[in-house]
Amino acid sequence: MRRTVGQALLGLVVALAMLGTAQTAAAQIHLNPAYGDGTLLGPTMARGAVVWSHGRSVEVEDSNAPTPLYMKTMRDAGWDVFRLDRMRVSDTLPNSSRALAGYADQLKDRGYRKVVLTGQSFGAFLSLMAAGQSDRVDAVVGTAPAAFGNFSDSYDSFRDNAAQLWPILRGIHSARVMLFFFHGDDFDPGGRGESARSILSSRRLDHIVVDQPALLTGHGAATTGMFVRRFGACILRFAEAPPRQGDPSCDESWGRTPSAELMRAAAPEPRTGSGTSSPAGTGARSFLGVWYGAYINGREIALAVDRVEGDAVYADYVLGPGMEADQPMERAQRKGRIENDELVFDEKGRNVLRYSIRTDGRLSATWLDRSGKGRLETTLRRMD
């Protein structure tokens, strides 16, 4: 009898401990508005609710990670944008996906017409898993899905970022699915695009799989301005309705074809001087012309090199508008020189620009903040 009572008490203690652990885990997973400016419209006015889930790091709290820029596209289109913020101590695939599925049901219960789950890396896994646990999720957008480490630090397990993704996709019953895989992603075992398309097609789920889009590289490519320039409109269309024949291309041409506004600004302005070239300027003449490209932060650039005088090279540097309202187009006249086959603009008190000609005829371009705290790199192609 004593043994039976003891066993019963032990079972009660274990049950209470498990309940306490579950309650603690739930208390550390929160659905919060993504923006603190009071922009929530509410279920009756919003086009829908979208929940973004951040990644997971063993070193920092990713709940502090900024909401990606493409979420602003949805907010500006009339969606209410939320975040699933999680403390990493309790952030597991079962705990967090279960909580996310519950929050999706709650949003539908509150009257939101559509509920879309989006996520980066670990958050992409959670969003896909939650869509398998609730049939009230309308769509999922997953960028660089990963939950099992990267090639460098977790070689023995990082292949599970593919192997464990397939049963999760097969478990989705009704939600449409949009996935992004990026070139140079250390968390990506490779070959996931075609396999994902095959599984989603076999499930007869509406889907778009974007596999290694040009100019976007690395695990964090979806957090960039270039990503939202290229794919923001497509993500919005996918959130609102299934893909239809005749839809615009999902991969916008932004960054490959210059805007008319930028090219007008890049037209060389008249300068004084003869424009004659010394022997030193002969090598500089290979830089003459208008060059075009884009930075990963979502700003176009044009470099119009129009004159060489002696050792001096003159150019107009045009930076297109940024993603924020306080980032207008900028144009600056620059005076540089050739240094070890590199065109360098480093006038005192100004940001440093460095260019070198590649073997394919394009320019490798580097922008360096004058304080040394910022660096951007890209490739420019000749436009004339």
Side-chain angles (χ1 to χ4, degrees):
M1 182 68 176
R2 289 182 180 177
R3 186 175 183 181
T4 303
V5 171
Q7 289 175 334
L9 288 174
L10 178 60
L12 178 60
V13 170
V14 171
L16 289 173
M18 292 177 64
L19 177 61
T21 300
Q23 289 175 337
T24 300
Q28 294 174 327
I29 303 173
H30 303 282
L31 186 71
N32 297 319
Y35 305 103
D37 53 3
T39 54
L40 292 181
L41 300 174
T44 59
M45 295 183 62
R47 299 183 69 88
V50 56
V51 182
W52 180 73
S53 295
H54 55 76
R56 184 182 188 276
S57 171
V58 297
E59 298 174 350
V60 298
E61 292 292 355
D62 279 14
S63 56
N64 295 322
T67 305
L69 289 171
Y70 74 88
M71 288 290 94
K72 290 184 179 180
T73 301
M74 300 195 69
R75 181 193 65 176
D76 294 345
W79 285 69
D80 279 353
V81 182
F82 299 88
R83 295 170 54 106
L84 186 73
D85 289 327
R86 311 162 328 261
M87 300 298 290
R88 70 180 187 272
V89 66
S90 60
D91 189 14
T92 66
L93 291 176
N95 281 348
S96 299
S97 64
R98 185 166 52 246
L100 180 55
Y103 282 129
D105 289 340
Q106 290 178 27
L107 290 169
K108 273 295 178 74
D109 289 340
R110 289 172 56 186
Y112 281 100
R113 292 183 287 274
K114 298 183 182 72
V115 172
V116 173
L117 306 181
T118 71
Q120 161 69 14
S121 189
F122 195 88
F125 260 76
L126 296 179
S127 299
L128 293 165
M129 291 176 66
Q133 297 171 31
S134 171
D135 290 338
R136 304 177 79 183
V137 175
D138 294 280
V140 178
V141 179
T143 59
F148 299 94
N150 61 26
F151 176 88
S152 302
D153 301 324
S154 306
Y155 182 77
D156 291 338
S157 64
F158 96 109
R159 291 181 183 83
D160 283 340
N161 290 325
Q164 298 300 322
L165 181 60
W166 312 143
I168 292 172
L169 295 182
R170 294 188 186 101
I172 299 174
H173 303 294
S174 58
R176 52 189 178 272
V177 177
M178 187 178 203
L179 294 173
F180 290 87
F181 302 110
F182 300 107
H183 180 72
D185 181 357
D186 198 30
F187 290 77
D188 195 332
R192 296 196 294 176
E194 285 304 316
S195 295
R197 289 190 189 100
S198 177
I199 292 171
L200 294 170
S201 295
S202 70
R203 299 288 299 160
R204 297 189 178 183
L205 296 172
D206 290 313
H207 64 276
I208 294 176
V209 177
V210 180
D211 191 16
Q212 301 192 45
L215 307 180
L216 287 162
T217 61
H219 192 57
T223 66
T224 66
M226 183 177 286
F227 179 82
V228 67
R229 296 279 200 191
R230 293 267 300 280
F231 294 103
C234 182
I235 291 172
L236 179 60
R237 286 195 304 272
F238 188 81
E240 295 189 339
R244 295 169 294 185
Q245 189 173 7
D247 280 347
S249 171
C250 189
D251 191 348
E252 299 282 353
S253 63
W254 190 93
R256 293 179 239 181
T257 303
S259 64
E261 181 184 16
L262 188 86
M263 293 310 293
R264 284 195 299 270
E269 293 184 349
R271 301 182 195 273
T272 60
S274 63
T276 58
S277 174
S278 69
T282 302
R285 286 188 174 277
S286 57
F287 290 94
L288 287 170
V290 180
W291 304 82
Y292 171 78
Y295 289 130
I296 196 70
N297 63 6
R299 302 189 76 165
E300 292 180 292
I301 54 172
L303 180 74
V305 183
D306 65 334
R307 190 161 60 108
V308 178
E309 284 190 356
D311 295 332
V313 181
Y314 296 87
D316 287 304
Y317 176 76
V318 182
L319 183 64
M323 302 299 300
E324 304 294 342
D326 61 350
Q327 296 176 326
M329 179 176 288
E330 302 173 21
R331 175 175 181 154
Q333 293 186 341
R334 302 297 300 261
K335 178 181 177 181
R337 67 188 187 283
I338 301 297
E339 182 180 279
N340 297 325
D341 296 325
E342 188 176 39
L343 176 56
V344 180
F345 300 92
D346 59 355
E347 303 100 309
K348 184 177 180 180
R350 307 184 76 174
N351 298 327
V352 177
L353 307 174
R354 307 185 76 97
Y355 304 94
S356 60
I357 297 178
R358 302 177 1 153
T359 55
D360 62 3
R362 299 189 178 195
L363 286 187
S364 291
T366 303
W367 173 93
L368 298 167
D369 180 72
R370 59 180 174 268
S371 67
K373 296 181 179 180
R375 180 187 182 98
L376 292 169
E377 295 181 348
T378 190
T379 301
L380 309 184
R381 59 188 175 92
R382 192 186 292 277
M383 294 302 299
D384 55 353

